[in-house]
Amino acid sequence: MRPRTLASTLIALFIVPAVAGQGPASAPADRWAQFRGSPTLTGVSQATLPDQLKPIWTYEAGDAIESSAAIVDGVVYVGSLTGELHAINLADGKARWKYKASADGIGESSPAVAGGLVYVGDLSGILHAVDAATGKAAWTFKTGTEIKSSPVVSGNLVLIGSYDANLYALGAKDGKLAWKVQTEGYVHATPAIVDGVAFLAGCDEILRGIRLSDGKEIFTLSSGAYTGASPAIEGGRAFYGTYENEVLSVDLKAKKIVWTYKHPERSFPFYSSAALSGDRLVVGGRDKMVHAISKDSGMPLWTFTTRARVDSSPVIARNRVYVGGNDGKLYVLDLQSGKSVFEFEAGGPLSASPAIASSRLVIGSQDGKVFCLG
């Protein structure tokens, strides 16, 4: 970890408070360009889906899908453990192209689409930039070991974390290294970006704020636990779960944990990343539950019980929560009450997260299928 200097402390005093004025960010109705929909990772879509979803198409990817899809300009992009990045027509489920990344496969790294390129990391540690129209490689960048973090594009930079303990910032067009920051553990989570600062919850138990312009670390806070989830940021606060079975709310200006949520009876890690809407946070737990929590107080609002762990990260669209379960079901829940309004039996476990755009939902399963419902 880089030592804090007086200069970086003064910079933090001016930059981090600016986050407090940041309003909620959501994905537009017609696109879902990255993991969690937007750089703030709030997991919210402006799209509207039918109350009762119907299967529109199913695509066979050939091996397990842990990667969450991106949807841009009528094309679905998703990675699979075959090591392929698939481009699929949203309208009919027909393959446009396949790009072979690595024999080691594409794991949880989810594609990000910007500027005509699709970015995705693979389990051999390579970040790939692929031409969205042709499926041809534009450039690649090799890290020290596997990538499970998802890329995030901000301006002329693309950020990616690696299990070599570094967060990298690369030129989005050419893949040249702009800077890297070394942490004290795997970089598994995806960074959230707000007002020129990347916030990263780490396997080293530290929440970091890193300035995009030069890679300077301007914020650190102990989470008190190993963290696999990515932070969702809204209203000057970061929200994320830990392996100590807690969900945290962190005030980024005051640099302190405001509240912690822990289920009173069931103690299981939160691997899922949270979705934020209105007065509530919704997150999946390895206790087989989906939890809704007050963003202000951390008090429980409702829980919904599934038949297996929920590693999938929920997506909120209008007044509905969409989330996959490792029991093989896609659940649609009422945001206010937590009651089930629709369930779809996918068959294989759904650890990937839904992507929603153009009145359709796309999710991949661990038995190698991509489902489109609408």
Side-chain angles (χ1 to χ4, degrees), residues 42 55 61 65-66 73-74 101 147 161 169 173 180 185 197 238 244 249 254 269 278-279 362 372:
T42 52
I65 298 170
E66 298 174 342
D73 295 334
I147 294 173
K173 291 299 183 184
K180 66 178 181 178
V197 180
E244 283 297 318
S249 171
D279 64 350
V362 177
C372 177

Side-chain angles (χ1 to χ4, degrees), residues 57 59-60 75-76 86-89 92-98:
W57 50 258
Y59 174 91
E60 296 284 349
V75 183
V76 175
H86 304 260
I88 310 161
N89 285 332
D92 57 15
K94 302 293 185 184
R96 285 204 171 193
W97 49 255
K98 296 179 186 178

Side-chain angles (χ1 to χ4, degrees), residues 7 48 61 89 91 94 181 191 196 247 253 282 285-286 289 296 334 354:
T48 300
N89 285 332
K94 302 293 185 184
V181 172
V247 178
K253 180 178 179 180
V282 183
R286 288 192 164 173
M289 291 183 179
D296 291 332
D334 181 84

Side-chain angles (χ1 to χ4, degrees), residues 15-16 19 192-199 208-212 218-219:
I15 292 184
V16 175
V19 179
I193 298 178
V194 182
D195 292 342
V197 180
F199 291 93
R208 287 180 164 80
I210 300 162
R211 195 169 58 197
L212 293 184
I218 62 172
F219 175 101

Side-chain angles (χ1 to χ4, degrees), residues 190-207:
T190 298
I193 298 178
V194 182
D195 292 342
V197 180
F199 291 93
L200 183 68
C203 298
D204 57 3
E205 305 186 2
I206 302 295
L207 176 67

Side-chain angles (χ1 to χ4, degrees), residues 176-317:
K176 292 183 179 178
L177 180 67
W179 51 257
K180 66 178 181 178
V181 172
Q182 186 171 5
T183 72
E184 297 173 8
Y186 302 139
V187 179
H188 177 91
T190 298
I193 298 178
V194 182
D195 292 342
V197 180
F199 291 93
L200 183 68
C203 298
D204 57 3
E205 305 186 2
I206 302 295
L207 176 67
R208 287 180 164 80
I210 300 162
R211 195 169 58 197
L212 293 184
S213 60
D214 56 10
K216 296 294 184 183
E217 186 177 271
I218 62 172
F219 175 101
T220 59
L221 178 79
S222 174
S223 303
Y226 180 97
T227 302
S230 303
I233 297 184
E234 184 181 285
R237 290 191 183 183
F239 303 87
Y240 56 97
T242 76
Y243 269 70
E244 283 297 318
N245 318 319
E246 294 178 330
V247 178
L248 309 181
S249 171
V250 175
D251 186 316
L252 298 173
K253 180 178 179 180
K255 301 180 187 176
K256 68 177 184 179
I257 296 173
V258 178
W259 55 251
T260 61
Y261 164 86
K262 192 169 187 176
H263 192 273
E265 298 173 357
R266 298 175 65 81
S267 294
F268 289 84
F270 289 95
Y271 188 79
S272 165
S273 297
L276 310 175
S277 181
D279 64 350
R280 61 200 54 203
L281 170 159
V282 183
V283 66
R286 288 192 164 173
D287 57 2
K288 305 181 183 180
M289 291 183 179
V290 181
H291 301 250
I293 307 164
S294 167
K295 287 193 306 191
D296 291 332
S297 67
M299 296 298 292
L301 299 174
W302 52 257
T303 58
F304 176 85
T305 303
T306 73
R307 298 175 301 176
R309 65 170 59 177
V310 183
D311 284 347
S312 175
S313 299
V315 172
I316 298 172

